[in-house]
Amino acid sequence: MGWVVGETPIYYMYVVKKNNIYYFILVGVLLTMFNPDYVTPLERKRRLKAAQKETKVAKTISIPISYWALLDEIKTKLGKKNANATLLYCIEQIGVELELET
């Protein structure tokens, strides 16, 4: 919810007569109104982030180089995009084998 400045100006015309001369004054006003459906960009971004199903966490993994090589071979054989996708696949498959995941 928020206050929104109107996009279409409303014009008022004033006619003033002074010394037998007519002056036409045109005044434009942008109305400010309350729009209950308006969502600020910051709130929209927060809602989008809250709706995401994935939690991102940074973690350093220290394993011997031979395991990284094995991971790379698995990635190549499965056609995965990167090491993250390969690790996710391996974790999911172990979960399925242990009947923790369906």
Side-chain angles (χ1 to χ4, degrees):
M1 290 194 277
W3 290 92
V4 181
V5 175
E7 296 176 359
T8 307
I10 297 174
Y11 292 101
Y12 296 99
M13 180 177 283
Y14 297 98
V15 180
V16 178
K17 181 180 177 185
K18 188 172 185 182
N19 298 333
N20 289 331
I21 299 175
Y22 287 93
Y23 295 94
F24 295 92
I25 302 169
L26 187 63
V27 177
V29 177
L30 286 175
L31 291 180
T32 301
M33 62 182 187
F34 183 73
N35 181 354
D37 298 324
Y38 179 75
V39 179
T40 64
L42 185 62
E43 176 64 13
R44 194 176 304 121
K45 187 176 179 181
R46 187 200 66 77
R47 288 181 186 181
L48 181 64
K49 188 174 181 180
Q52 291 176 344
K53 305 283 185 218
E54 186 177 307
T55 303
K56 296 188 178 191
V57 178
K59 178 68 179 161
T60 301
I61 301 175
S62 299
I63 58 174
I65 192 71
S66 59
Y67 286 99
W68 283 114
L70 179 60
L71 183 68
D72 191 49
E73 287 180 34
I74 294 169
K75 175 181 75 90
T76 304
K77 183 162 183 143
L78 295 175
K80 296 295 180 182
K81 189 167 96 174
N82 54 35
N84 287 338
T86 309
L87 282 172
L88 291 174
Y89 175 80
C90 293
I91 292 168
E92 183 179 19
Q93 291 306 308
I94 292 170
V96 169
E97 288 176 14
L98 295 175
E99 297 178 357
L100 299 172
E101 188 72 29
T102 57

